[in-house]
Amino acid sequence: MNAITPLTITADTVLLARADYDALLAALEEARDIATVQQFKADLAAGHTETLPWDMAKALLDGANPVRVWREHRGMTARALAAAAGIATGYLSEIETGRKPGSVAALKALATALRVDMDDLVPDPRAATVDAAN
């Protein structure tokens, strides 16, 4: 038999009905969601983030090489991107075709030239897993 712990009420104790507690949690979650959206809108207006066109997002989700997708999105030729990143055009081609993964230094330079985070240029390993399963 379980012992019942007596309820100790102090000046800092608040008792709520479960429905009221759940309503408070829902309101907190809603407030956090609103704050997140407001922060995204502010970042977008300030140029700290950008949205992706559907075709670009789909290409990335389908496993297209992120360097090539971002290069094309920025309207750059391979030669122009290679020059801006300070790497050989042939090396960029090998990165874009997946023959070479690209060094950390090269990916960092490419990310800077493309104005994206380095994480945006690393292919999503989940895409390869999905392709292998099909």
Side-chain angles (χ1 to χ4, degrees), residues 23-43:
L24 282 173
L25 287 180
L28 176 61
E29 184 176 352
E30 178 74 12
R32 285 180 177 159
D33 290 346
I34 289 169
T36 299
V37 169
Q38 289 173 338
Q39 183 62 54
F40 173 77
K41 286 180 177 181
D43 288 346

Side-chain angles (χ1 to χ4, degrees), residues 16-131:
L16 292 174
R18 171 58 71 179
D20 292 338
Y21 176 75
D22 290 342
L24 282 173
L25 287 180
L28 176 61
E29 184 176 352
E30 178 74 12
R32 285 180 177 159
D33 290 346
I34 289 169
T36 299
V37 169
Q38 289 173 338
Q39 183 62 54
F40 173 77
K41 286 180 177 181
D43 288 346
L44 189 60
H48 297 295
T49 192
E50 66 183 297
T51 59
L52 303 180
W54 169 247
D55 292 343
M56 184 179 173
K58 184 166 179 3
L60 290 168
L61 289 171
D62 287 343
N65 183 279
V67 174
R68 176 174 283 154
V69 171
W70 278 103
R71 175 178 61 76
E72 291 172 352
H73 178 66
R74 296 288 190 234
M76 298 178 80
T77 64
R79 185 179 307 260
L81 176 56
I87 65 172
T89 306
Y91 185 40
L92 174 60
S93 175
E94 290 176 317
I95 292 170
E96 286 189 352
T97 58
R99 289 191 302 265
K100 290 193 177 175
S103 68
V104 171
L107 290 174
K108 183 176 180 184
L110 289 166
T112 300
L114 291 168
R115 300 180 319 277
V116 298
D117 291 333
M118 204 166 127
D119 290 345
D120 293 329
L121 300 184
V122 179
D124 187 344
R126 293 173 295 181
T129 305
V130 171
D131 289 342

